[in-house]
Amino acid sequence: MNRHAVFTDETIDDAVLLAALEAAGIVAQVKPLHLQRAAGVAAEIVAEYPIGQQGNARDNLIAWIDEALDTADDARLKLIADSIDYIKRNHGELATWRCKGGYIALQVPTAFVSSIVNVSSDARRAIELRQLTGLMLPQLHRIAPEIMKSFLGDEYAGNNGDYERLMLAVCRDLAG
């Protein structure tokens, strides 16, 4: 059997994809792909090699995985750099904020800092905080949950609201 990976958005589930393939006359198995299943598929492919070549095939697979991870990391870093450039170009001066211990460093547009900290309206603060958090998402997504939990302490909820809580703390810290 040939193996093909098909990437879809979240609106397509296995049943819909299988139905589409069957409608096209293609006999197939459709299963969601997660890390363990991907490892199983990779192992099946490596097992198809002659015994004497399996070690080399496995080494190549690991090297390709490392290369793909490096490429993905480079793409994320480029996204962050592009995001910082966009923020600077469209929102002016940036301030570098570092948490105690230096585990988190963010480039924050100073125009939002004073606005969020000094605004008298809670509704206006919430709107600006959401806007700032949205701008900061490429940087925020790089923060490991353990680090976020360590910084937020009891306020940590393990959801996207953590980003807003962090950005509010950042703005208060930068405002002095």
Side-chain angles (χ1 to χ4, degrees), residues 27-95:
V27 178
Q29 295 177 4
V30 176
K31 300 176 187 174
L33 188 61
H34 50 71
L35 202 53
Q36 185 175 4
R37 186 163 290 135
V41 170
E44 289 173 16
I45 293 169
V46 169
E48 291 174 0
Y49 282 81
I51 296 291
Q53 295 177 11
Q54 287 179 4
N56 189 41
R58 181 180 173 277
D59 291 345
N60 284 337
L61 176 65
I62 291 168
W64 291 330
I65 290 171
D66 288 343
E67 185 177 308
L69 288 170
D70 287 345
T71 300
D73 199 41
D74 289 346
R76 278 190 295 273
L77 291 174
K78 183 179 180 338
L79 178 65
I80 290 170
D82 290 348
S83 167
I84 291 169
D85 289 343
Y86 172 84
I87 293 169
K88 187 173 187 179
R89 186 174 54 254
N90 292 299
H91 298 282
E93 181 182 344
L94 302 178

Side-chain angles (χ1 to χ4, degrees), residues 93-174:
E93 181 182 344
L94 302 178
T96 301
W97 176 84
R98 286 183 180 21
C99 74
K100 291 179 181 151
Y103 297 12
I104 305 172
L106 300 170
Q107 297 292 317
V108 183
T110 57
F112 280 92
V113 172
S114 58
S115 178
I116 288 170
V117 171
N118 297 326
V119 72
S120 60
S121 164
D122 287 340
R124 183 71 184 155
R125 177 181 296 115
I127 290 168
E128 295 225 0
L129 189 56
R130 271 191 215 103
Q131 185 180 6
L132 174 61
T133 303
L135 288 169
M136 299 294 296
L137 281 177
Q139 293 179 66
L140 295 171
H141 284 157
R142 296 278 298 176
I143 302 170
E146 300 80 26
I147 294 173
M148 183 74 83
K149 186 175 184 177
S150 172
F151 180 80
L152 291 176
D154 291 339
E155 292 185 56
Y156 180 78
N159 59 32
N160 284 339
D162 290 333
Y163 294 137
E164 286 186 21
R165 285 184 283 283
L166 172 66
M167 291 313 305
L168 183 57
V170 167
C171 289
R172 287 177 175 155
D173 192 31
L174 287 172

